[in-house]
Amino acid sequence: MIGRLRGTLVSKQPPWLLVEVGGVGYELEAPMSTVYDLPGLGKEVILLTHYAQKEDSVSLYGFLTEAERALFRNLQKVSGIGAKIALAVLSGVSTNDFARLVHAGDVVALTKIPGIGKKTAERIVVELRDRVDGMAVNLPGTMPAGAPLDAAGEATVALQQLGYKPAEVTRLVQKVAVDGDSAETIIRKALRAALGS
C-alpha cells in the first residue's frame, strides 16, 4: 500500500501529476484543491496518497492535506459516488465549506457540484453528516496535518468538548468570532450567545 510520496514534481497536467521518487515516476490523479497549491515543476513535493485497485485498473490519487484525503475516502462510501465524483467535489469546494454544506443540509448547493444530482446530494447529507463533524474541526481547510488551529478552531474544539453539538458550535462561532479575538474570547462570547438564545 502506498500512503505517502516525497519526490520531485515532474509534470502537472490537471488532474494528472507525475512525481519522481528515487528514479521511479508515479502518475497520480489529484483534485484542483491540491493542484492549486503545488510548488513549481522541478521542486520537491510531499503528497498523501490513496491507492485504489479494481479488476481492470490500478489508480493512485494524491492530496496535499489529510483533510482532502479523508473527504475523498468518505465520499466514496456513499452509494453512487466513485473516485471521479469525489475528485470533482474536492475540486469544487474546500473541505470546510463541504462540511458546512452537509451540516446545513444544503442539498441545492451540493447539486451545483458536477456529477451530483438531488438524490446523491440527499444521500451525502444523511450518510456523511456524522463523519464531517471531525473534518470541519480537526482537519481544517487546507492546513497541513498537524498544523496548529487558529483561535476560532481552538474555540470550536473546546466548545465541542463542553458537549455542544458540532452544527451548533459552528453556528455560534461564526456568529460571535471577530478577527483578532483569542480562543478564550470566542468561547466566552459563544457561551453567552448560547445561553442568551
Side-chain angles (χ1 to χ4, degrees), residues 1-196:
M1 191 74 91
I2 301 167
R4 181 174 176 266
L5 290 178
R6 177 179 183 170
T8 305
L9 184 60
V10 176
S11 172
K12 185 168 36 172
Q13 296 177 332
W16 296 100
L17 307 175
L18 186 63
V19 178
E20 187 175 318
V21 182
V24 177
Y26 290 88
E27 196 173 56
L28 307 98
E29 272 189 90
M32 291 309 295
S33 55
T34 286
V35 173
Y36 292 142
D37 293 330
L38 287 172
L41 297 182
K43 302 282 187 186
E44 182 180 80
V45 65
I46 298 173
L47 291 172
L48 299 169
T49 61
H50 175 80
Y51 177 87
Q53 183 172 353
K54 295 181 182 170
E55 289 177 16
D56 58 348
S57 67
V58 173
S59 301
L60 193 60
Y61 301 92
F63 310 92
L64 280 176
T65 69
E66 181 56 46
E68 292 172 326
R69 182 169 69 173
L71 178 53
F72 178 79
R73 289 174 169 171
N74 280 324
L75 278 164
Q76 290 184 77
K77 292 175 183 170
V78 176
S79 173
I81 294 186
K84 189 174 181 182
I85 293 175
L87 283 176
V89 170
L90 280 162
S91 294
V93 67
S94 74
T95 53
N96 269 351
D97 287 343
F98 180 82
R100 278 194 280 277
L101 292 176
V102 171
H103 272 301
D106 195 339
V107 171
V108 174
L110 288 170
T111 58
K112 292 178 182 171
I113 298 168
I116 296 185
K118 188 169 185 277
K119 286 185 179 177
T120 304
E122 288 167 351
R123 277 199 302 270
I124 286 172
V125 169
V126 171
E127 295 181 35
L128 292 187
R129 188 168 264 154
D130 293 338
R131 290 191 193 140
V132 297
D133 286 352
M135 191 177 303
V137 176
N138 299 326
L139 303 170
T142 56
M143 291 170 66
L149 294 175
D150 60 6
E154 285 180 39
T156 302
V157 171
L159 289 163
Q160 281 193 344
Q161 289 171 345
L162 290 173
Y164 287 92
K165 291 183 177 159
E168 187 179 7
V169 169
T170 302
R171 182 182 59 78
L172 286 170
V173 169
Q174 286 175 347
K175 180 178 173 184
V176 303
V178 177
D179 282 347
D181 278 355
S182 66
E184 293 78 17
T185 303
I186 295 171
I187 293 165
R188 199 173 296 120
K189 286 182 180 176
L191 290 172
R192 271 196 219 116
L195 295 173

